[in-house]
Amino acid sequence: MGHEIQVKIRFEAGHRLLDYSGKCHNVHGHTWIANLHFQAEKLIPPGMVVDFAEVKKDLKEWFEQNLDHAFMCNKDDPLGDEMELKYGLKVFRCPQGEPTTENLAKIVYRRAAEFAVEHSGVTCNRVEIQETPYNFASYEP
């Protein structure tokens, strides 16, 4: 297994589940926390898996551009069209369907894995997404 680091990134976003009959069908928001796990067999000088500053700069920028203060919705949600096209609001359309915590974990994992590929010997082995203080989901390949 080697060495592992974890980086947490917090973002604020609203969402709704279009094809859901419970209260989450309504627009609501959360303070989300993404916990990204990176590992490497060997450390790079001066003794790191990867520089925390690089992780934060690259991935925090991705979160700010895509998810932070956005409305996350099903790619087919007409409310996303209305918010984006009529009002010019920031909308993130979930390519996997609904913007559930489970689907967001997989989306964030894919981005974190792309970052890891750019750093020789580093892999992203898991992403956890915290939707509320009591609800989490994770994705690992």
Side-chain angles (χ1 to χ4, degrees):
M1 179 168 160
H3 300 273
E4 181 182 270
I5 64 167
Q6 296 179 33
V7 175
K8 289 187 180 195
I9 298 175
R10 187 181 115 182
F11 63 101
E12 310 292 334
H15 73 148
R16 80 167 182 156
L17 304 180
L18 179 65
D19 295 323
Y20 182 75
S21 61
K23 65 182 181 177
C24 291
H25 178 75
N26 295 303
V27 173
H28 62 287
H30 300 284
T31 297
W32 305 80
I33 298 173
N35 191 12
L36 315 170
H37 298 254
F38 295 95
Q39 71 177 36
E41 290 296 322
K42 295 180 182 178
L43 299 177
I44 60 168
M48 304 173 171
V49 169
V50 65
D51 189 339
F52 283 120
E54 286 185 50
V55 178
K56 290 178 183 176
K57 180 180 182 278
D58 184 280
L59 292 170
K60 199 165 188 168
E61 184 177 298
W62 182 86
F63 275 91
E64 288 175 5
Q65 289 175 355
N66 292 281
L67 301 177
D68 191 45
H69 286 83
F71 173 65
M72 301 183 299
C73 63
N74 183 311
K75 62 182 175 47
D76 299 322
D77 191 334
L79 186 55
D81 294 337
E82 184 86 2
M83 292 177 135
E84 186 175 36
L85 301 174
K86 187 172 182 181
Y87 297 104
L89 299 176
K90 186 176 180 178
V91 174
F92 179 83
R93 296 171 191 280
C94 187
Q96 276 90 8
E98 299 293 350
T100 61
T101 309
E102 294 86 348
N103 282 335
L104 287 173
K106 190 171 187 177
I107 290 165
V108 172
Y109 170 82
R110 287 181 176 160
R111 178 61 194 107
E114 288 173 9
F115 169 83
V117 166
E118 298 167 7
H119 296 80
S120 181
V122 176
T123 58
C124 178
N125 59 328
R126 185 171 73 250
V127 168
E128 299 163 349
I129 301 291
Q130 179 179 345
E131 181 181 81
T132 72
Y134 309 104
N135 299 328
F136 300 77
S138 65
Y139 180 81
E140 57 186 283

